[in-house]
Amino acid sequence: MQIQSNIGLGDYFYKSKDLELSWQPDENIDEAHIGICVAGLPCLWLQAPDDGFYTIPSSTFSHFPEGNFVTIVFGRG
């Protein structure tokens, strides 16, 4: 599965920006499950319609420490 975002490859992402994710939707699946993880904090888990696009407001991850790597986990179900 190929997911794209407004982060880019190897670039910095400023947590004042909303996180935009896009992917190829699956007409047989209703929900997408998205995890945003940073070392030292519990992952944030979100549910979204599997329609191919989801925007996560910057306020959702504003408490993340600056300068850390972030992992995004995506699943369907």
Side-chain angles (χ1 to χ4, degrees), residues 11-67:
D11 292 336
Y12 289 101
F13 180 77
Y14 296 94
K15 59 185 187 172
S16 60
K17 291 173 51 176
D18 294 342
L19 177 59
E20 299 171 356
L21 303 174
S22 61
W23 63 92
Q24 184 66 37
D26 183 334
E27 62 189 41
N28 299 312
I29 307 272
D30 293 329
E31 292 184 327
H33 301 273
I34 303 163
I36 306 173
C37 306
V38 66
L41 293 176
C43 294
L44 297 174
W45 292 100
L46 308 165
Q47 289 182 318
D50 187 10
D51 60 6
F53 188 81
Y54 191 67
T55 298
I56 302 167
S58 61
S59 60
T60 304
F61 48 86
S62 63
H63 66 286
F64 282 6
E66 291 188 25

